[in-house]
Amino acid sequence: MITGQIAIDVREVTKRFDDIVAVDQISLDVRRGEIFGFLGPNGAGKTTTVRMLTGIIRPDEGSVHVMGHDIVKNPVPAKQQMGVVPETANAYLDLSGRQNMLLAADLYGVPRARAEERIRETLAELGLLGRQDHRVQGYSKGMQQRLILGMALLHEPPILFLDEPTSGLDVQSTHLIIAMLQRLNEAGTTIFLTTHNMDEANRLCHRVGIIRCGRIAAVDTPEQLKQTVERIAVVLVRFDRRVDIRALSALPGVADVAEVNGRCRIAVEDIDTAIQSIVSHARAQGTRILSLDTPTPSLDEVFLSITAGDD
Amino acid sequence: MHPSGIVEQVRRSIVIAKKDIMIYYIKGPVIIFGLLIPLFLFMAFSVGSRFASLPFLISGLLAMTLFFTATAVSPVIFPWEAQARTLERLAAAPITVPALIFGDILASFVFGVGITLAPVGIALALGLTISHPALLLLGILIGAICFSSLGTLLSVPPTSSPPNIMMLSSLIKFPLIFISGIFVPIESLPAWGRLVAVFSPLTYFTDIARYSLGEVHAFPLVVDIIALAFFALLFTAAAMMLHARTLPKRI
Ligand SMILES: Nc1ncnc2c1ncn2[C@@H]1O[C@H](COP(=O)(O)OP(=O)(O)OP(=O)(O)O)[C@@H](O)[C@H]1O
Ligand SMILES: [Mg+2]
């Protein structure tokens, strides 16, 4: 089987629901071993896309290949390669955590002895071992979500799809899940992750795709995306005493100065000239510089600028 | 292991059946309901018709029990799973829709056959002799597949509201009871009734049960068995095909 470096290959995929086009001619590649973040505002078509990639719904047009298998023509081998954590999914509430895990292992054809071992490992890693024999009914939201992640991992899939896996979870559960995803990725798992959390996407994802109104607006590394956003550079400086704003404004390379929370927010025309002149000005005045920051735009700002114009 | 091979898919169907039994069937109310409805119908009926023979009554009870138990839970599994949001993970699992449906039918089959042993026990306890036990068993097995697949077929409309499906399936189940020779022998039905009865799979099972208990029966046995098997195949194939189409609409 020739699958090369591409884990997920999406070509001109479209999905309509009655009169709305939820996903419109989307094409993208996810490389093997990468964590691909899929971002977009509410209703942009993220969940619809993930459902098509995982063979839960059929695209109206276009093709999807996962590890070289066509998801429509050959769904079983394709699905065998993936673990899926849907946006809103429950475990069986009347069964225990362990029983749910066993069921998942059996559905993916994991041999019993291996399943027992995997279940023990996974439950331990997810912090659920102590509650494994309790009914899922009594689990908290975070515990349920961890269990569902565990159920998706038993057959050690090379690709993992997660649709907002940490939405509504507390810090501990979120950290646990993120750390686990990172470990899995280090061990070679390709991850397709839908999220609203820019910070998460920024730290975790090798590349992100931004979707708006059913179309791909941008696909790149978080770093590259941030650079594409046009923006006057800003330098934030804290001095050990009050400084003359007007004198600062007159320095070479400086465009504008404002005082924000005890710091000078200096908009600069040229960052090198500006910093050099600020430093010499401070030295000449006998003023000490306590801190100097050159904040880059956050992924949040990138996201807002790319998806601007949506309601 | 070839995940899409038939052996592996059947194995996964059995996993589905086990899941159904654990979650949906082994519930006190479900089991009691499965036994009580036929029993009450039967008692109401036997009080009203004192002249009917015991084998006639018992074979009717048998037919009702198998029919009601095999169609009790099978129609509501899909809407339940959709409502409880457990269906999407199943849809993402490496199991084909036919294998998924086969699993549901299998669970209903096991439940139907298991509970139907109760009226057979009642028959024996009442001192009835079963003249053709092998035939009765064959009839119960084919009948269980037939009614289970009918139950699964009834859940095709993509609603995620179990009460809607319950209503729909009751609308179809109860009339069938009255045109299938359970309370009134086919021979005594008016002409239109006899015509309709031919289209009810329950007619043929009732006929087999009558014969097995040494009663008069309406059709040749071969016709009974072939008709029952035909309906079983028809319902199973239809359920597998139609669910493949409606499953994505439930999610
Ligand atoms: N089953 C469905 N039937 C009809 N319309 C649907 C269905 N599923 C999604 N849609 C529509 O398709 C569009 C995309 O929805 P989708 O759930 O994919 O968005 P999303 O990006 O996942 O949003 P969110 O961030 O809120 O989860 C929306 O307009 C939604 O109303
Ligand atoms: Mg979504």
Side-chain angles (χ1 to χ4, degrees):
Chain A
M1 183 190 357
I2 304 155
T3 53
Q5 292 308 302
I6 302 300
I8 309 167
D9 179 14
V10 184
R11 288 288 144 249
E12 288 161 16
V13 162
T14 297
K15 182 75 194 177
R16 296 183 198 87
F17 294 107
D18 303 320
D19 53 341
I20 55 166
V21 186
V23 171
D24 191 2
Q25 298 279 323
I26 279 190
S27 296
L28 52 90
D29 294 327
V30 176
R31 299 171 194 147
R32 284 195 179 206
E34 112 177 309
I35 303 186
F36 188 89
F38 202 45
L39 311 180
N42 290 130
K46 301 182 296 295
T47 299
T48 307
T49 304
V50 175
R51 284 177 174 163
M52 288 191 286
L53 303 195
T54 51
I56 291 166
I57 57 176
R58 238 171 203 267
D60 294 327
E61 288 161 28
S63 72
V64 177
H65 287 82
V66 179
M67 297 308 244
H69 301 286
D70 186 312
I71 188 73
V72 174
K73 297 193 187 116
N74 241 337
V76 172
K79 288 173 176 181
Q80 186 70 40
Q81 304 281 317
M82 44 172 115
V84 182
V85 177
E87 183 175 30
T88 44
N90 291 329
Y92 290 105
L93 299 181
D94 290 340
L95 302 184
S96 70
R98 205 184 124 67
Q99 285 172 317
N100 270 289
M101 290 286 244
L102 267 173
L103 183 64
D106 286 346
L107 266 184
Y108 284 82
V110 183
R112 186 45 65 103
R114 180 75 186 131
E116 295 283 357
E117 198 179 316
R118 285 288 298 150
I119 290 173
R120 207 171 329 105
E121 269 169 31
T122 313
L123 284 172
E125 201 172 353
L126 292 168
L128 294 171
L129 208 51
R131 297 284 294 273
Q132 63 169 337
D133 292 319
H134 295 199
R135 282 181 0 135
V136 174
Q137 185 93 62
Y139 283 22
S140 73
K141 187 178 162 126
M143 291 168 72
Q144 288 198 31
Q145 188 68 354
R146 279 182 270 155
L147 178 65
I148 286 171
L149 174 61
M151 290 164 75
L153 295 176
L154 292 173
H155 61 296
E156 300 170 272
I159 303 193
L160 195 55
F161 287 90
L162 306 107
D163 195 350
E164 296 189 37
T166 58
S167 108
L169 302 192
D170 69 8
V171 186
Q172 267 96 344
S173 287
T174 302
H175 269 303
L176 201 145
I177 288 178
I178 295 298
M180 189 140 174
L181 295 184
Q182 239 149 2
R183 273 200 303 282
L184 285 164
N185 178 251
E186 275 155 26
T189 308
T190 305
I191 297 178
F192 187 101
L193 173 77
T194 291
T195 180
H196 276 141
N197 187 330
M198 293 301 148
D199 189 41
E200 197 171 289
N202 193 24
R203 276 184 301 139
L204 201 59
C205 300
H206 301 122
R207 286 193 308 150
V208 297
I210 296 180
I211 179 176
R212 63 174 286 228
C213 306
R215 288 169 171 273
I216 297 281
V219 180
D220 219 324
T221 62
E223 291 313 312
Q224 285 294 329
L225 281 178
K226 285 181 224 166
Q227 285 185 14
T228 60
V229 176
E230 290 286 345
R231 180 178 161 172
I232 305 170
V234 166
V235 181
L236 289 173
V237 191
R238 191 187 298 278
F239 298 99
D240 71 341
R241 68 191 70 161
R242 279 198 94 78
V243 291
D244 182 1
I245 300 277
R246 251 171 315 160
L248 273 181
S249 312
L251 291 174
V254 170
D256 183 42
V257 182
E259 206 174 323
V260 182
N261 300 331
R263 286 202 290 187
C264 292
R265 185 177 183 283
I266 306 174
V268 302
E269 283 150 0
D270 175 70
I271 194 138
D272 178 61
T273 320
I275 291 179
Q276 303 277 5
S277 57
I278 293 164
V279 171
S280 10
H281 175 75
R283 188 178 303 131
Q285 300 288 311
T287 310
R288 287 168 56 82
I289 294 177
L290 299 178
S291 72
L292 188 148
D293 277 337
T294 54
T296 48
S298 66
L299 202 53
D300 261 320
E301 286 167 288
V302 175
F303 182 75
L304 286 174
S305 99
I306 289 179
T307 59
D310 290 356
D311 346 302
Chain B
M1 178 192 73
H2 293 288
S4 41
I6 184 103
V7 176
E8 190 56 36
Q9 286 296 309
V10 168
R11 212 177 270 167
R12 291 176 194 187
S13 299
I14 296 171
V15 176
I16 295 291
K18 249 168 48 186
K19 176 263 302 175
D20 287 348
I21 290 174
M22 270 198 300
I23 296 168
Y24 303 114
Y25 287 94
I26 307 195
K27 290 216 165 111
V30 174
I31 294 174
I32 291 169
F33 216 59
L35 275 174
L36 280 189
I37 288 197
L39 209 59
F40 280 146
L41 280 173
F42 168 72
M43 287 191 324
F45 169 63
S46 56
V47 169
S49 60
R50 262 165 291 158
F51 305 110
S53 72
L54 193 57
F56 180 87
L57 291 175
I58 292 288
S59 54
L61 174 65
L62 213 87
M64 275 194 295
T65 309
L66 184 61
F67 183 65
F68 273 109
T69 51
T71 54
V73 182
S74 43
V76 279
I77 290 184
F78 267 97
W80 256 336
E81 299 244 4
Q83 198 177 49
R85 300 220 156 268
T86 52
L87 192 59
E88 191 165 348
R89 266 182 316 94
L90 287 184
I95 178 169
T96 61
V97 175
L100 188 63
I101 297 301
F102 182 63
D104 286 343
I105 293 177
L106 202 59
S108 175
F109 170 84
V110 169
F111 179 68
V113 171
I115 301 252
T116 304
L117 292 181
V120 173
I122 294 178
L124 294 174
L126 290 176
L128 279 184
T129 42
I130 299 176
S131 347
H132 306 280
L135 181 71
L136 182 63
L137 182 67
L138 181 71
I140 291 179
L141 296 182
I142 304 178
I145 299 175
C146 182
F147 304 145
S148 299
S149 53
L150 172 63
T152 308
L153 184 60
L154 288 175
S155 69
V156 159
T159 166
S160 41
S161 149
N164 286 353
I165 288 288
M166 295 258 211
M167 194 105 77
L168 173 74
S169 64
S170 298
L171 279 178
I172 290 173
K173 275 153 63 176
F174 280 91
L176 276 191
I177 289 287
F178 292 97
I179 54 139
S180 301
I182 289 179
F183 301 127
V184 185
I186 309 270
E187 310 83 71
S188 324
L189 286 174
W192 67 265
R194 265 173 288 170
L195 186 68
V196 181
V198 172
F199 295 99
S200 160
L202 189 52
T203 304
Y204 304 101
F205 178 74
T206 313
D207 213 44
I208 294 174
R210 292 268 141 85
Y211 177 80
S212 306
L213 295 184
E215 270 287 296
V216 285
H217 59 114
F219 299 97
L221 274 179
V222 186
V223 172
D224 284 333
I225 289 174
I226 290 180
L228 203 56
F230 166 76
F231 277 112
L233 277 178
L234 179 73
F235 293 153
T236 304
M240 287 177 176
M241 254 169 48
L242 296 175
H243 272 292
R245 217 174 291 168
T246 53
L247 175 58
K249 298 192 183 134
R250 296 176 188 275
I251 288 164

